[in-house]
Structures are given as structure tokens and as C-alpha cells.
Amino acid sequence: MNRNKRKPVKPRYLLIFLVIVCAVSIALSYQNGGDKLAVQSGITSFLIPMEKGLNSLGEWTGKNRERMKTVDELIEENESLNTQIERLKAQISSMENNLSELDDLRDLLDMKEIYPDYPMVGARIISKDPGNWYNSFIIDKGSNDGIKKDMNVIADNGLAGIVTDVSATHSTVRGIIDDTSNVSGMISKSSELCIIGGDLKLMEEGLLNVELISADAEVVDGDEVVTSYISDKFLPGLLIGYITDVSSDSSMLTQSAHLTPQVDFENITNVLVITQLKSDLLSDDDAQSAGETTDGTEETAVKGEGE
Amino acid sequence: MKRILSYAVLICVFFFLQTGVFSHLRMGIIAPNLLIICTASIGMIRGKTEGCLVGFFSGILYDALYASYFGLYALILCVIGYMAGYVNRIFYEEDMTLPLVVIGAADTFYGIIVYLLTFLSRGRMDFPYYFLRIILPEMVYTLILAVLLYRMIFYIDRKLNSKGSDDARA
């Protein structure tokens, strides 16, 4: 400021200077392909410890606001939940029957487990994007804990997002409900492929867009959608959510629908990061395919029948 | 020196309030924009230079954590701080309407720019929807908080002035 006193800088030049600085750094990070610049990581590593403490304060205030719900509302909710418990109990017992039957049948078929056991790391969300346009969050695990870019993040048994940026102690995750997110999915009943995209317009209702389902596919509300085999970033077979509002596109070549995600993004606090990368899986497969040709042909045969 | 320090503290406090607290206290899915309040207020009270600088640094903080393109928000906030500085000439201390109008306009400007740069460019065409459901509610929520926070910033500025430690415009 003392410098300014002697020789005041004209605001116009200051503005031009700062605009140029910004433009250069935008260009740099664009060239970097959205990866973090060194300056950026420097600033974040300074901010993150404070962010951690404040986020718990924020969570606390958020919870207190929930507490202000009226008693009537709570009683009503309690009643509906109780009936739901009854219904679910009944459902569980019938499911258990089904499950044992399924186990028997699976033994007979000698099938592999549908969900392979991926190695996972637990992480806590320490900050959520404060703006209104995007939906990304920061978790408290980084490259020190073995997190890498493009690792899949799950919560509540469903796909929550993908790691887009990694620093030493924290990483940024883009949620699947983010407007820029696109996931290649598969309707697990019929093996029909589709694209699941986030949409800011649907975020308030907590839904996602499902597009490019082929027109002759039979899709009904409640169909389960999982990540597909063809995605190069998402591991296959992770539950994404359930189909609602199926509609036929004007071109009549495809159908689209909405999807209720398995993950409750409003109350998400802890996540699991799968430390298995899809790209590694692919290259492993390539390396092993020479030795496992028999397995490979079997799988494709099964797939062909499915279609 | 004291002024620079208090700006640094102010920016940090607003930033952490924004990311730590108000990102949880959403109305529906809408969170307010405190950094706009800070930038526009300083710009109005102190003029273009300081508005520009405060905007730049608070934008840098936001960019470091969340932006996909580092510098984008710094650029927008920097321009907002500069433009708020134009009001400095017709600024009248006791009046509360003008600051609120400016902060509201700044937030709307911010929303429209973000929409144009990061949504329209990806083919999201439905501007009326985004305007009515995101930009406008954000502005209203921001204005409600601005009534309080603007007074706070104004009070801090007056304290700094009365001490007369170093006034950049003197």
C-alpha cells in the first residue's frame, strides 16, 4: 500500500493486468486438460486443514436446521416409516428364501460372483462445492493413500462419482449428478446399454437423465441400471440406480428415461474409493488373455446369448 | 498494512463461511454467494482498485478448490469488483438501497456469465429455466444475507478509516 501512496496505479491498468493473469492461467489449465496446476495445489493444501474443521461446523448447523421440523411432520413420518419397516421385514424374509434358492442355482451354474471384490479405501467428504452450478466434493484421501485420477467412488452401495483431481492429502470427486457427468450404463435385466448423464435441471428432484436406450428394448420403471462393460473409466457392474419415467424419443430410434440414483447425494458424508482402475484392469486382461483364451471365449459366448 | 491484513482476514472468513457453512444451509438446492457480497461491497466502499484486488483473490481461493479451469472465477469476480467501483463516485454512506441493487446486479451478472461460459457452451439452451431456478433464487438468498454482511463490511471499513493507520486514497 505504501508503494501505492507514492505512485498510485491506475485501476484500469490493474484490471487489465489481473485479467491477463487470469486468462493465462485459464489457458494453462485448459492445456493441462483440467488437471491441477502447481499454484492451485499449493493454495489448496493450505486451505484444506481449515476446510475440514469448518465442514463439520457446517454439517452441525445443517443438522440443527433439520431438527426444526415440526413435531407433526415427525409423527407422520414415523408412522409411514413404521409401516415401511413392516413391509420391508416381510420383503426381507421372502428375499432370504429367494437368496438361498439363488445360491443353490448359482452353485449349480458355477457362476462367478456378480460383484467382484474390488479393493476399497474409506474416505470422508470434507467439503462440497459451494456454488449452485456444479456438484463436486473433496475427500480427505489423496495420493498418499493410493488414490489416483479416474478411480470410482461409491457410497450406499451405489456409484457416487469419479476422482477428477488428486493432491497429496485430498482429492476432488465429480458426482454422477453433476451436469458435466456422463456414465456408460447398462440395464442389468436386458443388458441394454445406455448413457446416464447428470442434469442440473433434474438435480432438485434428485434424478439423472438416461439416454440412448435402443427403441426395441423393453424398459420399465424400477429396472436396475449398473455401469456397463464398455466404459473405459468406470468398473463394470456397479449399481447406479433405478429407471423411472420411460419415454420414447421423437426420432423413434431411441428411448430416454430418468434415473433415481442409489446414492442419496444430499446427505452423503462418507464414501468408499475403489482403488482398482478400469484402465489397469483392461491392460491386465490384455496381458492375461494369451493364457486364458478358454475363459475369454466362454464369456463372449454367454454374452452373445444374452443379446 | 493493517488494511491489507484485514482484507485478507475478511476474504478468508467469507470464503470459509461460503464453503464450510452455507454450502450446507441451502434453500432447496440453492446456496448464496458470499464472495460476491464481499467483492461488490469493497468495490463500492473503496473504489475500483481495491474491489478488483479483493475480487481477484477471493476468486483465486474458489478456483483453487473447485474450478475446472483455474482463473475463471478470479476473472469474473475481478471484473465485478472493478465495475462496482464505478458506483463509488455516486456512493452515499447512509443509503442502503444502492448497495443492495449493485450486489443483486453483480450476482445476476455472475450467474449469467457462468451460464454462458460453462453451460451454454455445452449446449444447455434453456436459459429461462436456469435464470428462474438458479440465478434468481441465488440472487434473492444473497441479498437477504447482504443486508447484514454489507453493514458489517461497512462498519469494518469505518473502523479502519477512523484509526487512519494508512488510507490508500489519502
Side-chain angles (χ1 to χ4, degrees):
Chain A
M1 278 296 158
N2 276 334
R3 189 172 52 89
N4 285 359
K5 228 180 218 173
R6 268 171 237 137
K7 198 176 134 198
V9 184
K10 270 200 179 164
R12 198 180 313 147
Y13 297 134
L14 180 73
L15 178 75
I16 292 168
F17 171 70
L18 291 179
V19 165
I20 290 171
V21 169
C22 291
V24 167
S25 66
I26 291 173
L28 275 179
S29 68
Y30 184 76
Q31 215 169 21
N32 244 8
D35 281 345
K36 276 202 168 137
L37 299 176
V39 205
Q40 212 171 346
S41 328
I43 300 173
T44 44
S45 57
F46 158 76
L47 291 174
I48 283 299
M50 287 186 261
E51 197 70 29
K52 273 185 193 171
L54 266 152
N55 192 57
S56 43
L57 176 71
E59 270 170 18
W60 180 78
T61 45
K63 253 181 222 155
N64 269 9
R65 195 178 59 166
E66 289 275 289
R67 212 167 280 169
M68 286 176 209
K69 272 188 180 174
T70 60
V71 180
D72 285 349
E73 250 176 272
L74 287 176
I75 289 173
E76 208 174 283
E77 203 180 311
N78 197 11
E79 267 173 22
S80 73
L81 285 178
N82 270 332
T83 53
Q84 204 179 350
I85 287 176
E86 291 304 318
R87 219 182 38 237
L88 289 176
K89 267 184 189 163
Q91 217 171 350
I92 284 175
S93 55
S94 77
M95 286 290 182
E96 267 167 359
N97 282 335
N98 287 345
L99 202 65
S100 61
E101 204 180 309
L102 180 70
D103 277 342
D104 293 346
L105 290 173
R106 204 175 271 166
D107 281 345
L108 284 177
L109 275 172
D110 203 16
M111 248 162 53
K112 282 178 194 164
E113 257 194 284
I114 296 173
Y115 281 83
D117 287 324
Y118 295 121
M120 292 185 215
V121 174
R124 209 164 67 87
I125 293 177
I126 48 177
S127 172
K128 287 183 186 175
D129 189 332
N132 297 319
W133 297 91
Y134 293 102
N135 193 293
S136 57
F137 47 85
I138 293 175
I139 55 173
D140 65 348
K141 292 278 158 63
S143 54
N144 288 352
D145 310 278
I147 309 288
K148 284 185 197 134
K149 199 182 164 183
D150 289 341
M151 277 179 178
N152 297 176
V153 177
I154 59 173
D156 308 334
N157 277 325
L159 183 69
I162 187 163
V163 176
T164 53
D165 256 320
V166 185
S167 300
T169 55
H170 61 271
S171 23
T172 311
V173 178
R174 186 183 62 213
I176 52 167
I177 55 169
D178 187 283
D179 203 83
T180 56
S181 159
N182 272 313
V183 184
S184 160
M186 186 178 81
I187 295 157
S188 53
K189 199 175 66 183
S190 57
S191 302
E192 284 291 339
L193 295 174
C194 54
I195 299 288
I196 292 118
D199 191 340
L200 183 62
K201 279 188 188 175
L202 296 170
M203 208 186 273
E204 202 171 358
E205 300 144 65
L207 296 174
L208 287 93
N209 256 330
V210 184
E211 284 164 340
L212 301 177
I213 314 170
S214 67
D216 50 353
E218 263 185 54
V219 190
V220 289
D221 284 9
D223 275 0
E224 188 185 79
V225 178
V226 298
T227 47
S228 80
Y229 291 92
I230 57 168
S231 167
D232 51 353
K233 283 182 179 171
F234 290 96
L235 296 161
L238 301 173
L239 176 61
I240 303 174
Y242 301 92
I243 295 271
T244 56
D245 325 322
V246 184
S247 65
S248 184
D249 288 338
S250 51
S251 66
M252 300 303 273
L253 294 171
T254 52
Q255 304 178 72
S256 33
H258 293 157
L259 176 129
T260 317
Q262 167 76 9
V263 182
D264 175 10
F265 279 93
E266 252 176 55
N267 301 315
I268 183 172
T269 51
N270 290 300
V271 293
L272 291 167
V273 183
I274 302 179
T275 52
Q276 169 77 56
L277 278 172
K278 177 73 189 271
S279 51
D280 289 351
L281 207 64
L282 289 175
S283 52
D284 281 359
D285 277 1
D286 286 343
Q288 285 172 7
S289 59
E292 284 182 20
T293 37
T294 48
D295 265 58
T297 45
E298 240 169 64
E299 256 173 51
T300 46
V302 171
K303 248 194 202 171
E305 271 167 37
E307 284 161 10
Chain B
M1 200 61 219
K2 203 177 259 177
R3 188 169 277 280
I4 296 177
L5 210 68
S6 49
Y7 281 165
V9 172
L10 194 70
I11 291 173
C12 284
V13 166
F14 270 65
F15 178 75
F16 286 121
L17 272 180
Q18 169 89 57
T19 54
V21 180
F22 281 100
S23 57
H24 293 274
L25 288 180
R26 285 171 187 263
M27 287 187 176
I29 58 163
I30 298 299
N33 197 329
L34 299 191
L35 296 178
I36 290 276
I37 301 179
C38 184
T39 307
S41 305
I42 299 279
M44 273 184 286
I45 300 171
R46 302 286 310 172
K48 289 174 193 166
T49 312
E50 285 166 56
C52 201
L53 283 170
V54 167
F56 178 75
F57 284 109
S58 39
I60 283 284
L61 289 187
Y62 187 88
D63 276 332
L65 273 189
Y66 285 105
S68 39
Y69 295 122
F70 187 64
L72 186 63
Y73 289 89
L75 180 66
I76 299 173
L77 284 173
C78 178
V79 172
I80 285 176
Y82 186 83
M83 294 209 290
Y86 276 109
V87 186
N88 183 243
R89 256 182 264 165
I90 49 166
F91 177 69
Y92 182 61
E93 290 199 341
E94 274 73 35
D95 187 26
M96 192 67 198
T97 344
L98 183 65
L100 288 184
V101 169
V102 172
I103 291 173
D107 196 38
T108 313
F109 172 77
Y110 167 86
I112 291 173
I113 293 291
V114 171
Y115 166 76
L116 287 179
L117 289 184
T118 65
F119 270 66
L120 189 65
S121 56
R122 288 187 294 114
R124 307 277 191 203
M125 301 297 241
D126 194 359
F127 178 69
Y129 176 89
Y130 293 110
F131 187 77
L132 291 175
R133 301 302 292 271
I134 307 280
I135 299 174
L136 217 57
E138 181 188 306
M139 190 199 81
V140 172
Y141 195 179
T142 305
L143 279 186
I144 295 169
L145 291 171
V147 174
L148 261 175
L149 294 172
Y150 172 77
R151 279 189 186 283
M152 197 187 86
I153 294 172
F154 188 71
Y155 178 77
I156 292 171
D157 176 65
R158 229 175 25 193
K159 277 271 162 184
L160 285 169
N161 273 346
S162 66
K163 286 209 180 111
S165 50
D166 64 351
D167 191 348
R169 289 182 309 165

